[in-house]
Amino acid sequence: MSAPIEDYALIGDLFSCALVGLDGSIDWLCLPRLDSPACFAGLLGDPGNGRWQIAPVSGGKATRRRYRGDTLILETEWETPEGTVRVVDFMPERGEAADVVRIVEGVSGRVPMRLDLRIRFDYGRAIPWMRRIGDHLTGIAGPDSVWLRSPIELEGRDFSHRATFVVCAGDSLPFVFTWHPSHLPAPRDVDPYEALDGTERFWTEWAAQCTYSGRYRDAVVRSLATLKALTYDPTGGIVAAATTSLPEAVGGVRNWDYRFCWLRDATMTLEALLRSGYRDEAKAWRSWLMRAVAGSPEDLQIMYGVAGERRLEEYELDWLAGYENSRPVRVGNSAAKQLQLDVYGEVADSLFLALGSGIQQERHAWSLQSAMMGFVELHWNDPDEGLWEVRGPRRHFVHSKVMTWVAVDRAVRMVENFDRRGPVEHWRALRDEIHREVCAKGFDADRNTFTQSYGSRELDAALLLIPRVGFLPANDPRVIGTVEAVQRELTTDGFVQRYATGDDEHGVDGLAGREGAFLACSFWMAGALQQIGRAKEARDLFERLLDLRNDVGLLAEEYDPRLKRQVGNFPQAFSHVPLVLTAYDLEGHDGMRGAGHAAAQP
């Protein structure tokens, strides 16, 4: 059986990430980038698909673990009958090569330890050719090479390398695992202790920049650090999660690759960074966005690679059994080819928010936004696949229509507030036309709620964002009715689903099986309850959501109330970003100009 998703902690170096289990095993690591093939893929199969475990011989889960302060340095401790041992895991700042450092420290007694290293390139498929070069154990397969510097001798057996050793109180044994292109000379050695000091200094100084000072500061800083760890530093792109194919329902087929950058996350991510004082990260994310979407508006995609890549071809890894037999395991994401009209609103809102916060635009930004307006005018009333990337028939999703209204509204406000040039009267008329149609066709007057799509009786948690984007004010009876309807019809044990899923492929999303409660939507509900004046309910829900975090403060995409466990890709930016924003909302902090603070229509 696989370890529960919440058993994992994250380490990273702003180029890639690793997941470390409570059993001391690194079961997921992609190098050299977040979206590269994994060299440890045991998370999606078994140990034979690659892992690196350091743990007491007695086995079992760690007694406790924590991040060191506000850093991404993980400290895991086991108390055993023989004594106590600690493993310190981190990825130092990327230099010549990518490094993972593990330092085994004796706290008390004499603890027998074991090490099991199984390197498998290409998502667990390629067994490298191993040899010793000087004081390094090296493995090579195709373009990849790894170099392990170990203070103990490892024995090769059954396509793995293993060792047992004893750690006494006061001992400190450093292991350094380095990835390097196989055609290049051996990388320079990293001093593990200097790297530890530098890593602690970097994260401590970074966290100190956070301007949030409310009662939820620990949760906010950990969420922001997670967001930082999911950033590909050379470009500023922020991936949705560190993993692929962790299932939305254990044993099901809703398994997707989330190691890409979604435009749907753009405005909320930008707002969370700006409100927390991280202007450099916000500028880098906005710059990534502008590079990614540059070109013809009809070619706009819903997601891109970390450097803005457009080709994200989806295929299956049939040699992996999947997390708890959840198949298929997918790499790439064919949803990149979908039409999702909401992304035009996200881009426009992000540009408006950034400029209103003092981040100057690139010279071509307004030309691009104006060109997008031409596309929106021609296609806003087309059906699309919607925010949730349904793989069923296209529909007139209400959230998509609302976001086309946002696209037009922000263009109008760019002219009004920032002296941009454009046919503002024409755009105002278009904005009013979209608003009238959504209110006429997307609202069920009998039930006093907006619906998922025109003519449907189904609901959608994305409707909770209507007041946040400024389409209607929070005190509008239609907004209050929608919040109450979503709370009534889409919640399980108080947590919110995205929409009603079916048992077969004939549901709205064209997929069989169900999924857990979507954590972002649950945070949206807390924010919506706050907006409509139900502050105690909002805070109670928010604090229940905080209780779902694992022991080191991380959240996956969803939570299964029936199994009482996290599901979906992990850790999920789209869960941590609304956590940050909801914390601000509950504390009564002023909002940013842009998302959620537009002049609402009557």
Side-chain angles (χ1 to χ4, degrees):
M1 289 290 291
S2 304
I5 290 169
E6 51 264 45
D7 274 10
Y8 288 96
L10 181 76
I11 59 173
D13 64 356
L14 310 187
F15 284 72
S16 189
C17 296
L19 294 185
V20 187
L22 268 169
D23 61 352
S25 181
I26 297 178
D27 290 339
W28 184 253
L29 174 62
C30 300
L31 291 172
R33 297 191 346 175
L34 289 150
D35 57 351
S36 296
C39 59
F40 299 140
L43 179 70
L44 298 178
D46 58 42
N49 297 123
R51 74 157 180 188
W52 181 15
Q53 184 178 42
I54 302 177
V57 169
S58 56
K61 293 184 179 181
T63 308
R64 57 186 164 268
R65 64 178 175 178
R66 63 167 191 163
Y67 284 114
R68 182 179 294 183
D70 292 329
T71 76
L72 220 65
I73 299 168
L74 181 69
E75 298 180 338
T76 306
E77 290 187 0
W78 288 263
E79 291 181 359
T80 75
E82 298 83 7
T84 300
V85 65
R86 177 187 305 123
V87 177
V88 180
D89 291 313
F90 65 98
M91 294 177 69
E93 183 178 3
R94 185 73 63 96
E96 178 188 0
D99 300 292
V100 177
V101 179
R102 314 193 74 181
I103 301 176
V104 183
E105 299 177 343
V107 178
S108 66
R110 300 179 73 256
V111 182
M113 300 289 289
R114 59 186 169 87
L115 182 151
D116 180 17
L117 176 66
R118 307 185 193 192
I119 303 165
R120 301 290 187 269
F121 296 118
D122 192 23
Y123 298 106
R125 191 175 197 180
I127 300 174
W129 171 43
M130 305 295 297
R131 56 181 175 159
R132 297 187 185 278
I133 300 179
D135 61 350
H136 292 86
L137 175 68
T138 70
I140 295 176
D144 302 295
S145 74
V146 293
W147 303 70
L148 178 69
R149 189 152 43 101
S150 168
I152 60 172
E153 191 74 18
L154 275 64
E155 177 187 359
R157 184 171 73 250
D158 299 329
F159 303 106
S160 66
H161 282 78
R162 302 173 186 174
T164 57
F165 56 101
V166 174
V167 177
C168 300
D171 286 350
S172 180
L173 303 177
F175 299 80
V176 182
F177 178 94
T178 302
W179 180 94
H180 204 50
S182 60
H183 66 280
L184 296 178
R188 291 191 295 272
D189 287 340
V190 168
D191 183 300
Y193 299 105
E194 288 182 2
L196 178 61
D197 290 342
T199 303
E200 183 171 9
R201 184 167 54 251
F202 168 81
W203 283 105
T204 300
E205 292 174 355
W206 185 86
Q209 300 174 44
C210 180
T211 56
Y212 178 86
S213 58
R215 65 192 291 184
Y216 303 113
R217 190 179 189 280
D218 288 347
V220 167
V221 171
R222 181 52 53 198
S223 291
L224 290 166
T226 303
L227 196 63
K228 178 72 169 175
L230 296 175
T231 301
Y232 184 63
D233 195 61
T235 66
I238 302 173
V239 299
T243 57
T244 179
S245 298
L246 288 181
E248 295 172 10
V250 173
V253 299
R254 297 169 181 265
N255 318 318
W256 316 109
D257 194 344
Y258 273 24
R259 298 170 300 156
F260 306 116
C261 308
W262 265 257
L263 298 192
R264 72 178 182 192
D265 303 357
T267 306
M268 290 186 184
T269 299
L270 193 66
E271 184 179 358
L273 292 169
L274 286 169
R275 292 178 78 169
S276 303
Y278 292 104
R279 292 184 61 83
D280 288 344
E281 285 79 4
K283 289 170 66 176
W285 170 240
R286 198 284 312 269
S287 294
W288 173 89
L289 178 69
M290 290 307 301
R291 293 192 302 272
V293 304
S296 178
E298 58 262 29
D299 295 331
L300 193 69
Q301 296 187 180
I302 70 166
M303 72 181 86
Y304 297 86
V306 295
E309 297 91 346
R310 291 172 174 264
R311 292 186 180 273
L312 309 178
E313 300 299 327
E314 183 178 305
Y315 57 96
E316 298 178 4
L317 308 181
D318 58 8
W319 60 88
L320 289 176
Y323 178 85
E324 294 195 16
N325 295 312
S326 303
R327 293 189 179 94
V329 174
R330 295 181 172 96
V331 168
N333 201 313
S334 63
K337 302 173 184 177
Q338 290 185 348
L339 173 65
Q340 292 184 22
L341 293 170
D342 63 285
V343 298
Y344 294 90
E346 287 289 349
V347 173
D349 204 10
S350 297
L351 295 176
F352 181 78
L353 172 61
L355 189 57
S357 303
I359 298 177
Q360 294 303 307
Q361 289 188 342
E362 291 87 347
R363 184 173 298 178
H364 68 282
W366 179 241
S367 297
L368 175 63
Q369 190 171 351
S370 298
M372 284 172 45
M373 284 301 303
F375 180 88
V376 169
E377 182 172 5
L378 290 174
H379 296 282
W380 71 267
N381 54 1
D382 290 348
D384 72 342
E385 276 92 0
L387 171 72
W388 304 124
E389 298 155 22
V390 302
R391 301 201 176 195
R394 289 181 175 178
R395 288 173 166 82
H396 291 282
F397 287 102
V398 171
H399 176 263
S400 296
K401 306 303 184 190
V402 168
M403 292 307 292
T404 62
W405 176 91
V406 169
V408 183
D409 175 74
R410 302 315 189 254
V412 169
R413 297 174 69 196
M414 291 287 275
V415 174
E416 294 173 341
N417 296 359
F418 300 112
D419 200 29
R420 297 298 190 263
R421 294 185 177 182
V424 67
E425 292 301 329
H426 179 68
W427 288 343
R428 287 186 184 124
L430 176 60
R431 179 178 64 179
D432 292 344
E433 180 185 357
I434 298 172
H435 198 277
R436 283 192 300 270
E437 178 176 300
V438 172
C439 291
K441 296 182 179 181
F443 184 75
D444 184 339
D446 293 336
R447 296 158 65 212
N448 191 33
T449 181
F450 285 94
T451 59
Q452 184 177 49
S453 59
Y454 290 176
S456 169
R457 290 185 58 83
E458 300 294 336
L459 299 179
D460 190 321
L463 301 170
L464 297 170
L465 299 175
I466 284 175
R468 186 169 189 87
V469 300
F471 185 81
L472 286 172
N475 61 359
D476 188 292
R478 292 167 292 183
V479 170
I480 296 171
T482 300
V483 173
E484 293 174 344
V486 170
Q487 189 178 40
R488 184 173 58 249
E489 298 184 29
L490 288 184
T491 61
T492 302
D493 196 23
F495 302 118
V496 183
Q497 291 181 281
R498 294 186 292 180
Y499 49 84
T501 55
D503 292 322
D504 57 34
E505 66 277 7
H506 300 298
V508 66
D509 59 13
L511 295 166
R514 299 185 180 275
E515 63 180 21
F518 205 77
L519 293 174
C521 299
S522 300
F523 282 114
W524 295 347
M525 174 60 78
L529 289 170
Q530 175 77 13
Q531 286 178 301
I532 67 172
R534 291 159 60 175
K536 184 180 185 305
E537 272 187 84
R539 191 175 294 277
D540 288 348
L541 175 56
F542 181 71
E543 292 180 355
R544 287 190 68 205
L545 288 165
L546 292 187
D547 288 343
L548 300 182
R549 296 174 301 152
N550 73 356
D551 58 316
V552 288
L554 301 181
L555 287 169
E557 179 183 25
E558 300 179 13
Y559 176 73
D560 188 327
R562 181 176 58 87
L563 299 177
K564 298 190 182 306
R565 58 182 295 190
Q566 295 191 33
V567 290
N569 282 305
F570 177 87
Q572 176 78 213
F574 207 38
S575 297
H576 285 281
V577 167
L579 183 159
V580 173
L581 295 179
T582 307
Y584 277 106
D585 293 344
L586 295 180
E587 295 291 323
H589 289 257
D590 291 336
M592 303 295 302
R593 294 177 68 186
H597 300 280
Q601 291 289 299

